[in-house]
Structure formats: structure tokens, C-alpha cells
Amino acid sequence: MWCMDSGSRYSNPHQSSPNFSSISLDGSIVASATEPSTSDVLANHSHQQVSHSQTPAQAQLHQRQHEYQQQIQRWIATNPKIAPYKAEESLAKLWVEQKELFDNWKEEQHIKSVPALNETQYPPILITTDAVNLVLQAWCISNNGEKGAVRAERLLHWFEDLHSNDTTTEKSLLPRPDYQSYATVIDAWSRAAVYESTHSRTSESTSKGKTKRDIPEAIRVGFECAKKGEELLMHMQKVHEKRLENQQIEPYSSEIQPDTQVFHLVLKAWAHIQGSKASATRAMRIMDLMQELHHYQSMNVPHWQGLNMSKVQPNIMTYKLILKAWANAATPEGPDRAEEILRHCYSLSKAGNMGVEIMPDEECFHIVMKAHTESVRKRGKNSDVGHVSSVDRARQVVDLLDWMELLAKRPKTKIQPNTDSYRIALSAWVWSHHVDAPKEAESILFRMIRASESTDGGIEKLLNIDAGSNKNTPKVQPETRDFNTLINCCVFARGVGSNPQMGSDELEMDLLQQQFRRETFLIAEGALQALLSSPHAQADSATFVGMIRACLNLLPNNEERDARVIDLFRLAYRTPLPIEQSSPKLPSSSSERLKPPVGGGCVDANVLRELRRALPIIEDYIRVREEFEDHRRRQ
């Protein structure tokens, strides 16, 4: 009834059913000699219903099916990579045995010239839907990427062809694909799209001994895998509609109909492809199809298979996947489109007529905030991204943070800023390299500190919210890396803010630069003091490396700077090493000099290296090092 486009029609890549008796394992893999058996009796209500009083033959068949199911599950648990090969090989042998049973049964019927009157006179059906689904699942979770998805779809085609190449009697006895069959293969293509798009393919060309990575090739393969999953979804819908039309002729189960979860598998594939605007566009079209199908089902509830609700309906997960698709599109308009969808989703939730929960949560906000921040990181300072500068994008991130805090003030809200919310905004300003970046980053860090000051209520007390109504709110707690981020932002602010058009007076320009650097150093020093007094974080070696660099880059080269560097070094070896770093687990190949010396506090090789750079006079460096060694011996 509906499809994506005229050029995206589903087609079977294998025109003829593959001969399963010829399927074998890879050359290096030996097939298990375990006798194959199926997992369950097919839920075919007209021909394979299990009677309450089983005959000995039926009980033996069911036992064999159960053992086969357990065998496949053991293979999957033992080695998921090899499990699908073994499972498919055993299924191939089972199919050969099944065909022999049919041939013998036909000969008996021909000799007796009497048709079978009940199911006890039919040959036992060894292959069931559950058995085939287990093999499909083995391919799905094998983590073989595109190869696993191709083999899973090949098996599904064979499963479908069982009802097109056999006689009428055999066709009525053999199982047929169900909802789980199609959903598993679609999931296999979705996993393949994620796997292939994130695993860079290498080329043979090298540069300075390093193999170049062909990122566009990985994206292309991932895109094709997602497209295959989408085409299979369209095919599944067509199979559902065909069975719906023929339900008067043959038994029909409404479970074959694609539901929201199956649509989400395809959306997941499109959402995880990096750097492709086309993938975000196709994800939008999938959501449009979901809305169209939901509307059609809702308008025809009395005539839609007797269901009283729609099986397809966009929900908050649908919008999250759409947001991720635009966030990963890596296009100038990607973050803006994601923010538009976020605001549209919030408007729909306020209207309250969707029937499902679509109120954006923290994850939705973070997806959009990270999209803006990643755009800032990739473009750098003073670069326009679709007529939007990096600093404007950083302000958009802060605006979203402000919006989260505003929503958190409302009663019974589910949206609460957490540590990641402030951290994303902090990173956006740091990566903007703007003249105001240190001040704006300092403002965000201290907003985070104020949000964590209260131990009973945290952010709720800051925003005047009843803490009892938000017991599960994640606590805002700044970590050491957040303070270090601000310090490093100040370190690399050297030269930022100079403007040749301000005037020709070099002395005035020099004074302005000195004032700017002094103010920036005070921001870094304030971050250090806040870290030392923080109950949640401790200074580490990276903290003091950053502070010594700040002295070197921001303060005038004079004795006062040298004295400040020496004071920071003394503070470093008197400050205890954080607990999580007191026993660092370094690889065996790491040099001994990288390990913090015993009794040296936060001083490691990096701190000593920066100290040597900051103290050009060798006598001062030797004197300070001797003091450090004396302190260590006393400890």
C-alpha cells in the first residue's frame, strides 16, 4: 500500500531458493556432529496445534525440538562468531532429513492411495518457525557486520520460498516467517549499519608508515546496510497487507504487522551514520510514514483486524532517534534542525493529544546541545558555520541550559539539569576560542558549583523546587576535569582578544593585552582555589600542569612569575594525590618516570617538565628540585 519511493522497491537478491543441503561451514570451521533438532512446534493454528494428550512419537519429536533449541543457545553463548555457521549447518541437515520424510510419506500415500485424514498421519515437521528464528538470531548478534546481515536475509528468503516452491500439501505443513523472523533480520541490518559506519576501512596507501583510513567508504557501506533494513521493512509491510487481503483463504496472524519497535530498528540504523545528511533525511521520512500509518490505523480502528489501538505510533524514542540522526549529519544546518525538532516535540507534548509520552527529557536536550558543541569544536574560532559563528552556537548551548533550568522550576517536571548539562555548555565555550570564553566558562562552572552546594536537594534547592517531588534527580557534582577544563581554557587564551583596528598606539595595545592576560590568569587561579576547597573533587597533576602553563603564557616574564611558579610547584607536591590515582594501573610498557614518585603528591613527570620550561635559570630549577627531594625523603 505504501513504500518509500518508486526506486526503493524491495527485491529478492536470490531469485531462486538456495539449496540448503549444499550449505556448509567455512573451510576453517568444522560442523558439529550433534544431531539437529528443533526448538518448538510452529504456532500454526490450523495444522500444527499440539494436542493435550501427546502420543509417544509426538513427545519424542517435542523433546528433540527442545534439545535443538538448547544446542543453538549453547553455541551462541560459547562463541557468537561461529555460532551462526554451526546453527545454519545443522538447519541444512535438518532440511535434508525433512525432505526425506516428505519423500517417504509421498511414497506411502501413493501405495495406499488413501489421503491423510488427520495430523497424526502427516509426516513429522522437524523445521519450525522458532528453529529458523534461532538461526536468524545467531546471525543477528554475531557482530559480523554486513556479512552477518546478508546471511540472515538469505535465510529469510529461503524461509519465505518454502511456501512458493513446494506442493500444496507440503506448503500447508511447513512453517512460515512470523513477526520475529522479519524483525530479527531488520535488526541484523540495523546492527550492520552501526558496525560498518563506525569501523573505518583501511586502504593500502600509507603515509609516513601509517595506513590511511577511508572514512567515506565506511559511511557508504553503513548507508547501504541501513537502506537494506528499510527495504526489508517495506517488504514486511507488503507481506502484512497481502496476508490481510487473503485472510479469508488462509489462516492469518496480525502479529506480522510492523510495529513501532520495528520502525525504531530502521531509525536506529539511520541515526548512527556519521556525516551524512541523506541519512537524516531518510530518518525523517520514516517518521512521516509512522505518522501517516498511525493516522490511517486510528481512522479505521473498527475495520483494522479488530484492534482497538494502533500498532505504529511515534513516541519519545522516535524523536530521540531523529535528533541523533540530525546531530550526526555533520552538516551546518544539522544542529539547528535538531533544535527545531526538539522544540516541536515539546510543543506537541504540551498539546497533550498524542496519546503517548513525548515530553523531551535530559537526553533529548543533551543530544541537541552536543550537536551545537561538536559543530563549535570542528570549526574552531572565528569560523562561520552556515552563517552561524562558533560563539553564537556556544550561546545557543547556554540558552538550552537556561531552558532546562526554567523547566526544572515547574512542578512535577521530569527535566532536570545534571552534571553533563553544565559540562556540555562548558565545553562549547572552551572550544569557541572567543575572547569571552574564559569568563563565560567560569560563569558556567560556578553555576555548576552552586547547583551542587546543597546536599539535600541539590539543583532543586538552587532552583527553588520541592526536592520531595524529584527524588530521582541526578545530583549535579563538578569533577576535577571540569576545573581543569576552565584552567586550560585560560592557558590557551594567550593572544585572544587582540584587534589591530583598535588603534595604532602600540603601547596602548600592549597594556590592553597585559590587562586581558592578568584577568584571565585570575580566572584560572580562582578555579584552582575553588577546586582545592571543593568537597567533591581534588586537584591532580593535570591541574598543576595547567596552572604552571598559565603562569608561563599569561604573566610577564619576571621574578614575580618565577616566584609564582615555585609556589605552585610547592603546592603540588604538598597536595595529596587523588584516591583514584594513588595506585595508577599503568601498562607494563609504560616508563617508570611516568609514575608519580612516592611522597611526591601531585608531582609527576609532566609537572617536572613544565617546571623546567617555566624556570629558565638552571640554579632556580635545581634549588626547587632539591627542596622537592627533601620533602619526599621526609615523607
Side-chain angles (χ1 to χ4, degrees), residues 573-584:
Y573 63 71
R574 292 170 183 169
T575 302
L577 194 67
I579 298 176
E580 62 273 11
Q581 298 182 12
S582 58
S583 300

Side-chain angles (χ1 to χ4, degrees), residues 327-511:
N328 292 332
T331 58
E333 67 271 22
D336 296 325
R337 290 296 302 274
E339 185 170 340
E340 290 176 5
I341 295 170
L342 174 66
R343 296 183 182 277
H344 176 68
C345 182
Y346 178 76
S347 300
L348 290 178
S349 67
K350 296 300 292 180
N353 57 357
M354 293 297 294
V356 293
E357 179 60 49
I358 59 170
M359 170 64 76
D361 56 10
E362 292 90 344
E363 185 181 0
C364 295
F365 279 86
H366 290 172
I367 292 172
V368 181
M369 293 168 70
K370 287 179 180 179
H372 285 297
T373 303
E374 185 66 12
S375 179
V376 173
R377 185 188 70 84
K378 289 182 177 180
R379 269 69 183 185
K381 77 172 182 179
N382 297 330
S383 62
D384 291 340
V385 185
H387 305 291
V388 180
S389 64
S390 296
V391 65
D392 289 336
R393 290 212 178 273
R395 292 192 178 104
Q396 285 180 275
V397 175
V398 177
D399 290 341
L400 289 170
L401 177 62
D402 295 339
W403 187 17
M404 292 183 70
E405 290 184 342
L406 179 62
L407 293 176
K409 295 181 180 180
R410 299 182 179 180
K412 298 182 180 180
T413 182
K414 296 183 180 180
I415 301 176
Q416 299 288 343
N418 55 29
T419 304
D420 286 338
S421 308
Y422 294 95
R423 186 170 292 152
I424 295 170
L426 182 66
S427 300
W429 271 110
V430 170
W431 282 330
S432 70
H433 299 288
H434 190 261
V435 61
D436 295 329
K439 293 181 180 179
E440 294 291 342
E442 179 190 32
S443 174
I444 295 171
L445 177 62
F446 281 93
R447 283 171 64 177
M448 188 191 303
I449 295 174
R450 289 194 298 270
S452 65
E453 286 178 348
S454 176
T455 57
D456 54 347
I459 188 67
E460 295 93 342
K461 183 174 181 180
L462 173 68
L463 301 175
N464 299 320
I465 307 172
D466 181 11
S469 62
N470 295 277
K471 295 181 180 179
N472 297 325
T473 301
K475 188 174 182 179
V476 178
Q477 193 173 94
E479 300 176 3
T480 303
R481 57 173 173 165
D482 300 313
F483 293 90
N484 291 347
T485 298
L486 175 57
I487 292 174
N488 288 325
C489 177
C490 297
V491 168
F492 296 105
R494 181 183 182 183
V496 174
S498 61
N499 188 352
Q501 298 180 356
M502 291 182 59
S504 58
D505 191 342
E506 295 184 1
L507 178 60
E508 182 181 358
M509 288 294 298
D510 185 59
L511 292 175

Side-chain angles (χ1 to χ4, degrees), residues 10-187:
Y10 179 88
S11 61
N12 189 336
H14 306 282
Q15 296 299 328
S16 60
S17 176
N19 185 0
F20 249 34
S21 61
S22 65
I23 296 179
S24 61
L25 301 178
D26 289 348
S28 59
I29 303 174
V30 180
S32 173
T34 304
E35 186 68 16
S37 56
T38 53
S39 62
D40 235 332
V41 178
L42 173 67
N44 189 321
H45 301 296
S46 62
H47 295 98
Q48 298 190 49
Q49 289 182 339
V50 180
S51 61
H52 295 287
S53 57
Q54 293 182 342
T55 64
Q58 289 175 330
Q60 184 179 5
L61 176 62
H62 297 158
Q63 177 64 23
R64 184 179 177 185
Q65 294 167 350
H66 180 67
E67 291 174 356
Y68 179 57
Q69 179 182 6
Q70 289 184 327
Q71 179 63 66
I72 296 180
Q73 291 174 344
R74 284 194 294 269
W75 286 336
I76 294 175
T78 303
N79 193 334
K81 282 281 187 181
I82 301 179
Y85 295 97
K86 292 183 176 181
E88 189 172 289
E89 179 73 11
S90 64
L91 182 62
K93 295 178 180 179
L94 198 65
W95 174 237
V96 173
E97 184 179 353
Q98 181 69 70
K99 290 197 294 184
E100 292 177 354
L101 291 174
F102 273 127
D103 293 339
N104 296 335
W105 175 73
K106 289 178 182 179
E107 292 180 1
E108 293 177 0
Q109 293 297 312
H110 179 71
I111 295 174
K112 295 180 180 180
S113 299
V114 178
L117 300 178
N118 54 65
E119 66 178 34
T120 59
Q121 297 179 354
Y122 290 128
I125 303 302
L126 304 179
I127 295 181
T128 64
T129 301
D130 288 341
V132 180
N133 287 348
L134 269 176
V135 183
L136 291 174
Q137 183 185 8
W139 281 117
C140 178
I141 64 177
S142 64
N143 200 29
N144 281 320
E146 184 183 17
K147 182 178 180 181
V150 169
R151 295 291 292 265
E153 186 170 358
R154 174 189 174 187
L155 179 58
L156 179 63
H157 292 331
W158 170 83
F159 202 10
E160 291 178 322
D161 290 343
L162 288 180
H163 289 262
S164 60
N165 296 333
D166 290 315
T167 62
T168 304
T169 304
E170 295 180 13
K171 176 179 178 180
S172 62
L173 294 175
L174 290 173
R176 67 192 308 169
D178 61 0
Y179 167 88
Q180 193 63 36
S181 307
Y182 290 98
T184 302
V185 181
I186 293 174
D187 188 18

